[in-house]
Amino acid sequence: MIYCVEDERNIRELLVYTLETTGFSAKGLADSRELSAELKKELPDLILLDIMLPGEDGFGILKKLKSNPSTRDIPVIMVTAKEAEFDKVRGLEGGADDYITKPFGMMEFVARVKAVLRRSQKQSEEREVRCGPLSIHSGKHEVKLNGEKVDLTRKEFELLQYLVENKGLVMTRNQILCHVWGYDFDGETRTVDVHVRTLRHKLKEAGNRIETVRGVGYRIEE
Ligand code: CA
């Protein structure tokens, strides 16, 4: 899924149309509010981000995306109407993966999109963390136990990933809730216990690596 954040309707529709005819799924969004709403539902593989937008501009949006752990790794291509070098440099320094200057040809546009997706795919494949017999692949959302794929729900995966990223440290139930379920999650810490239980079960012999620290939370062994 590719999100195209662009306030000019004609351009937005053209971008979405071009991506869809190339075989991608794409969604056009007019401003930062629409983007925020969509990000809560689904994280895209790539964001095309116009700079001059009503309300919050592309630079502000980019900064927010890059400072949030859940959106940090989504590649961003900045779309700028000004050819000034200034915009390009600012965009790249802020963590954009590429930029494209309007007006641009659709062939070039698609080539850029494909190149950025290829790079990010490669990076995410390299993002594999090991923990004993477990290997956790954050890009593919995949866990393997002795090379065999383990079928986890999204929350179970995120829980395991969080514990492994903090290997050796005790994470409190509240920390886990905030990180995995989000700050605005309106639930109980018991949710964490329930997920740890199913996760341990699914991880079989590797499950007892998740240690309960009484009255505090959970820790995964080094
Ligand atoms: Ca614009």
PDB file of all heavy atoms in Angstrom, residues 118-138:
ATOM      1  N   ARG A 118      12.497  -1.132  -3.337  1.00  0.00           N
ATOM      2  CA  ARG A 118      13.533  -2.168  -3.385  1.00  0.00           C
ATOM      3  C   ARG A 118      14.544  -1.980  -2.264  1.00  0.00           C
ATOM      4  O   ARG A 118      14.899  -2.924  -1.571  1.00  0.00           O
ATOM      5  CB  ARG A 118      14.267  -2.107  -4.732  1.00  0.00           C
ATOM      6  CG  ARG A 118      13.925  -3.245  -5.674  1.00  0.00           C
ATOM      7  CD  ARG A 118      14.904  -3.351  -6.833  1.00  0.00           C
ATOM      8  NE  ARG A 118      15.373  -2.100  -7.372  1.00  0.00           N
ATOM      9  CZ  ARG A 118      14.820  -1.456  -8.410  1.00  0.00           C
ATOM     10  NH1 ARG A 118      13.755  -1.946  -8.982  1.00  0.00           N
ATOM     11  NH2 ARG A 118      15.338  -0.329  -8.847  1.00  0.00           N
ATOM     12  N   ARG A 119      14.981  -0.730  -2.116  1.00  0.00           N
ATOM     13  CA  ARG A 119      15.963  -0.441  -1.053  1.00  0.00           C
ATOM     14  C   ARG A 119      15.402  -0.757   0.326  1.00  0.00           C
ATOM     15  O   ARG A 119      16.071  -1.336   1.161  1.00  0.00           O
ATOM     16  CB  ARG A 119      16.378   1.033  -1.093  1.00  0.00           C
ATOM     17  CG  ARG A 119      17.396   1.366  -2.137  1.00  0.00           C
ATOM     18  CD  ARG A 119      18.215   2.585  -1.726  1.00  0.00           C
ATOM     19  NE  ARG A 119      17.419   3.776  -1.513  1.00  0.00           N
ATOM     20  CZ  ARG A 119      17.117   4.660  -2.465  1.00  0.00           C
ATOM     21  NH1 ARG A 119      17.529   4.473  -3.694  1.00  0.00           N
ATOM     22  NH2 ARG A 119      16.402   5.735  -2.183  1.00  0.00           N
ATOM     23  N   SER A 120      14.155  -0.356   0.548  1.00  0.00           N
ATOM     24  CA  SER A 120      13.604  -0.540   1.891  1.00  0.00           C
ATOM     25  C   SER A 120      13.335  -2.016   2.159  1.00  0.00           C
ATOM     26  O   SER A 120      13.476  -2.508   3.264  1.00  0.00           O
ATOM     27  CB  SER A 120      12.356   0.310   2.092  1.00  0.00           C
ATOM     28  OG  SER A 120      11.200  -0.400   1.814  1.00  0.00           O
ATOM     29  N   GLN A 121      12.977  -2.744   1.119  1.00  0.00           N
ATOM     30  CA  GLN A 121      12.781  -4.194   1.230  1.00  0.00           C
ATOM     31  C   GLN A 121      14.091  -4.855   1.665  1.00  0.00           C
ATOM     32  O   GLN A 121      14.114  -5.682   2.560  1.00  0.00           O
ATOM     33  CB  GLN A 121      12.355  -4.731  -0.141  1.00  0.00           C
ATOM     34  CG  GLN A 121      12.171  -6.244  -0.201  1.00  0.00           C
ATOM     35  CD  GLN A 121      10.851  -6.667   0.413  1.00  0.00           C
ATOM     36  OE1 GLN A 121       9.894  -5.910   0.383  1.00  0.00           O
ATOM     37  NE2 GLN A 121      10.803  -7.854   0.979  1.00  0.00           N
ATOM     38  N   LYS A 122      15.176  -4.435   1.018  1.00  0.00           N
ATOM     39  CA  LYS A 122      16.480  -4.999   1.306  1.00  0.00           C
ATOM     40  C   LYS A 122      16.881  -4.697   2.751  1.00  0.00           C
ATOM     41  O   LYS A 122      17.356  -5.560   3.470  1.00  0.00           O
ATOM     42  CB  LYS A 122      17.506  -4.418   0.334  1.00  0.00           C
ATOM     43  CG  LYS A 122      18.738  -5.255   0.179  1.00  0.00           C
ATOM     44  CD  LYS A 122      19.487  -4.917  -1.092  1.00  0.00           C
ATOM     45  CE  LYS A 122      20.929  -5.350  -0.990  1.00  0.00           C
ATOM     46  NZ  LYS A 122      21.820  -4.267  -0.577  1.00  0.00           N
ATOM     47  N   GLN A 123      16.635  -3.451   3.155  1.00  0.00           N
ATOM     48  CA  GLN A 123      16.976  -3.067   4.527  1.00  0.00           C
ATOM     49  C   GLN A 123      16.174  -3.875   5.534  1.00  0.00           C
ATOM     50  O   GLN A 123      16.700  -4.331   6.531  1.00  0.00           O
ATOM     51  CB  GLN A 123      16.704  -1.588   4.754  1.00  0.00           C
ATOM     52  CG  GLN A 123      17.835  -0.705   4.279  1.00  0.00           C
ATOM     53  CD  GLN A 123      17.426   0.755   4.253  1.00  0.00           C
ATOM     54  OE1 GLN A 123      16.364   1.120   4.744  1.00  0.00           O
ATOM     55  NE2 GLN A 123      18.266   1.584   3.680  1.00  0.00           N
ATOM     56  N   SER A 124      14.888  -4.060   5.225  1.00  0.00           N
ATOM     57  CA  SER A 124      14.068  -4.759   6.212  1.00  0.00           C
ATOM     58  C   SER A 124      14.440  -6.244   6.262  1.00  0.00           C
ATOM     59  O   SER A 124      14.327  -6.882   7.289  1.00  0.00           O
ATOM     60  CB  SER A 124      12.578  -4.562   5.944  1.00  0.00           C
ATOM     61  OG  SER A 124      12.155  -5.389   4.906  1.00  0.00           O
ATOM     62  N   GLU A 125      14.925  -6.793   5.138  1.00  0.00           N
ATOM     63  CA  GLU A 125      15.363  -8.185   5.173  1.00  0.00           C
ATOM     64  C   GLU A 125      16.589  -8.359   6.053  1.00  0.00           C
ATOM     65  O   GLU A 125      16.822  -9.411   6.625  1.00  0.00           O
ATOM     66  CB  GLU A 125      15.684  -8.676   3.756  1.00  0.00           C
ATOM     67  CG  GLU A 125      14.435  -9.152   3.043  1.00  0.00           C
ATOM     68  CD  GLU A 125      14.616  -9.307   1.543  1.00  0.00           C
ATOM     69  OE1 GLU A 125      15.762  -9.283   1.079  1.00  0.00           O
ATOM     70  OE2 GLU A 125      13.585  -9.445   0.876  1.00  0.00           O
ATOM     71  N   GLU A 126      17.372  -7.291   6.102  1.00  0.00           N
ATOM     72  CA  GLU A 126      18.579  -7.367   6.929  1.00  0.00           C
ATOM     73  C   GLU A 126      18.271  -7.139   8.406  1.00  0.00           C
ATOM     74  O   GLU A 126      19.105  -7.351   9.255  1.00  0.00           O
ATOM     75  CB  GLU A 126      19.597  -6.334   6.429  1.00  0.00           C
ATOM     76  CG  GLU A 126      20.233  -6.765   5.118  1.00  0.00           C
ATOM     77  CD  GLU A 126      20.790  -5.603   4.310  1.00  0.00           C
ATOM     78  OE1 GLU A 126      20.744  -4.462   4.788  1.00  0.00           O
ATOM     79  OE2 GLU A 126      21.259  -5.858   3.190  1.00  0.00           O
ATOM     80  N   ARG A 127      17.061  -6.678   8.662  1.00  0.00           N
ATOM     81  CA  ARG A 127      16.686  -6.350  10.034  1.00  0.00           C
ATOM     82  C   ARG A 127      16.189  -7.606  10.748  1.00  0.00           C
ATOM     83  O   ARG A 127      15.017  -7.755  11.052  1.00  0.00           O
ATOM     84  CB  ARG A 127      15.605  -5.277  10.029  1.00  0.00           C
ATOM     85  CG  ARG A 127      15.924  -4.107  10.918  1.00  0.00           C
ATOM     86  CD  ARG A 127      14.807  -3.099  10.916  1.00  0.00           C
ATOM     87  NE  ARG A 127      14.716  -2.389   9.660  1.00  0.00           N
ATOM     88  CZ  ARG A 127      13.583  -2.144   9.008  1.00  0.00           C
ATOM     89  NH1 ARG A 127      12.448  -2.569   9.472  1.00  0.00           N
ATOM     90  NH2 ARG A 127      13.591  -1.487   7.883  1.00  0.00           N
ATOM     91  N   GLU A 128      17.062  -8.551  10.963  1.00  0.00           N
ATOM     92  CA  GLU A 128      16.645  -9.783  11.614  1.00  0.00           C
ATOM     93  C   GLU A 128      17.356  -9.891  12.952  1.00  0.00           C
ATOM     94  O   GLU A 128      18.566  -9.718  13.028  1.00  0.00           O
ATOM     95  CB  GLU A 128      17.002 -10.970  10.722  1.00  0.00           C
ATOM     96  CG  GLU A 128      16.340 -12.236  11.165  1.00  0.00           C
ATOM     97  CD  GLU A 128      16.695 -13.391  10.243  1.00  0.00           C
ATOM     98  OE1 GLU A 128      17.822 -13.885  10.344  1.00  0.00           O
ATOM     99  OE2 GLU A 128      15.839 -13.785   9.438  1.00  0.00           O
ATOM    100  N   VAL A 129      16.579 -10.165  13.985  1.00  0.00           N
ATOM    101  CA  VAL A 129      17.166 -10.263  15.313  1.00  0.00           C
ATOM    102  C   VAL A 129      17.086 -11.719  15.754  1.00  0.00           C
ATOM    103  O   VAL A 129      16.071 -12.385  15.544  1.00  0.00           O
ATOM    104  CB  VAL A 129      16.381  -9.389  16.321  1.00  0.00           C
ATOM    105  CG1 VAL A 129      17.100  -9.325  17.654  1.00  0.00           C
ATOM    106  CG2 VAL A 129      16.174  -7.993  15.776  1.00  0.00           C
ATOM    107  N   ARG A 130      18.158 -12.193  16.378  1.00  0.00           N
ATOM    108  CA  ARG A 130      18.143 -13.570  16.855  1.00  0.00           C
ATOM    109  C   ARG A 130      18.111 -13.606  18.378  1.00  0.00           C
ATOM    110  O   ARG A 130      18.652 -12.738  19.051  1.00  0.00           O
ATOM    111  CB  ARG A 130      19.362 -14.326  16.339  1.00  0.00           C
ATOM    112  CG  ARG A 130      19.347 -14.526  14.832  1.00  0.00           C
ATOM    113  CD  ARG A 130      20.328 -15.614  14.435  1.00  0.00           C
ATOM    114  NE  ARG A 130      19.960 -16.889  15.049  1.00  0.00           N
ATOM    115  CZ  ARG A 130      19.165 -17.788  14.464  1.00  0.00           C
ATOM    116  NH1 ARG A 130      18.661 -17.552  13.275  1.00  0.00           N
ATOM    117  NH2 ARG A 130      18.874 -18.905  15.075  1.00  0.00           N
ATOM    118  N   CYS A 131      17.448 -14.649  18.870  1.00  0.00           N
ATOM    119  CA  CYS A 131      17.402 -14.850  20.311  1.00  0.00           C
ATOM    120  C   CYS A 131      17.327 -16.357  20.524  1.00  0.00           C
ATOM    121  O   CYS A 131      16.254 -16.946  20.365  1.00  0.00           O
ATOM    122  CB  CYS A 131      16.181 -14.132  20.889  1.00  0.00           C
ATOM    123  SG  CYS A 131      15.978 -14.389  22.654  1.00  0.00           S
ATOM    124  N   GLY A 132      18.459 -16.983  20.811  1.00  0.00           N
ATOM    125  CA  GLY A 132      18.497 -18.432  20.946  1.00  0.00           C
ATOM    126  C   GLY A 132      18.003 -19.092  19.671  1.00  0.00           C
ATOM    127  O   GLY A 132      18.464 -18.749  18.583  1.00  0.00           O
ATOM    128  N   PRO A 133      17.019 -20.008  19.797  1.00  0.00           N
ATOM    129  CA  PRO A 133      16.514 -20.704  18.603  1.00  0.00           C
ATOM    130  C   PRO A 133      15.542 -19.850  17.785  1.00  0.00           C
ATOM    131  O   PRO A 133      15.054 -20.290  16.748  1.00  0.00           O
ATOM    132  CB  PRO A 133      15.788 -21.918  19.197  1.00  0.00           C
ATOM    133  CG  PRO A 133      15.353 -21.470  20.551  1.00  0.00           C
ATOM    134  CD  PRO A 133      16.368 -20.477  21.032  1.00  0.00           C
ATOM    135  N   LEU A 134      15.256 -18.631  18.271  1.00  0.00           N
ATOM    136  CA  LEU A 134      14.277 -17.781  17.593  1.00  0.00           C
ATOM    137  C   LEU A 134      14.963 -16.774  16.675  1.00  0.00           C
ATOM    138  O   LEU A 134      16.010 -16.225  17.029  1.00  0.00           O
ATOM    139  CB  LEU A 134      13.473 -16.979  18.623  1.00  0.00           C
ATOM    140  CG  LEU A 134      12.575 -17.735  19.577  1.00  0.00           C
ATOM    141  CD1 LEU A 134      12.058 -16.793  20.643  1.00  0.00           C
ATOM    142  CD2 LEU A 134      11.407 -18.367  18.816  1.00  0.00           C
ATOM    143  N   SER A 135      14.367 -16.558  15.512  1.00  0.00           N
ATOM    144  CA  SER A 135      14.801 -15.414  14.712  1.00  0.00           C
ATOM    145  C   SER A 135      13.575 -14.573  14.405  1.00  0.00           C
ATOM    146  O   SER A 135      12.527 -15.090  14.013  1.00  0.00           O
ATOM    147  CB  SER A 135      15.540 -15.852  13.455  1.00  0.00           C
ATOM    148  OG  SER A 135      14.674 -16.508  12.588  1.00  0.00           O
ATOM    149  N   ILE A 136      13.715 -13.282  14.646  1.00  0.00           N
ATOM    150  CA  ILE A 136      12.587 -12.364  14.520  1.00  0.00           C
ATOM    151  C   ILE A 136      12.887 -11.393  13.397  1.00  0.00           C
ATOM    152  O   ILE A 136      13.900 -10.711  13.398  1.00  0.00           O
ATOM    153  CB  ILE A 136      12.332 -11.603  15.840  1.00  0.00           C
ATOM    154  CG1 ILE A 136      11.866 -12.611  16.886  1.00  0.00           C
ATOM    155  CG2 ILE A 136      11.275 -10.516  15.674  1.00  0.00           C
ATOM    156  CD1 ILE A 136      12.716 -12.642  18.080  1.00  0.00           C
ATOM    157  N   HIS A 137      11.978 -11.395  12.447  1.00  0.00           N
ATOM    158  CA  HIS A 137      12.153 -10.606  11.254  1.00  0.00           C
ATOM    159  C   HIS A 137      11.158  -9.462  11.253  1.00  0.00           C
ATOM    160  O   HIS A 137       9.994  -9.661  10.939  1.00  0.00           O
ATOM    161  CB  HIS A 137      11.920 -11.529  10.072  1.00  0.00           C
ATOM    162  CG  HIS A 137      12.609 -11.038   8.883  1.00  0.00           C
ATOM    163  ND1 HIS A 137      12.328  -9.815   8.368  1.00  0.00           N
ATOM    164  CD2 HIS A 137      13.588 -11.587   8.128  1.00  0.00           C
ATOM    165  CE1 HIS A 137      13.113  -9.639   7.320  1.00  0.00           C
ATOM    166  NE2 HIS A 137      13.882 -10.692   7.163  1.00  0.00           N
ATOM    167  N   SER A 138      11.631  -8.266  11.614  1.00  0.00           N
ATOM    168  CA  SER A 138      10.672  -7.174  11.801  1.00  0.00           C
ATOM    169  C   SER A 138      10.026  -6.724  10.493  1.00  0.00           C
ATOM    170  O   SER A 138       8.849  -6.411  10.461  1.00  0.00           O
ATOM    171  CB  SER A 138      11.329  -5.991  12.507  1.00  0.00           C
ATOM    172  OG  SER A 138      12.455  -5.572  11.796  1.00  0.00           O
TER     173      SER A 138
END
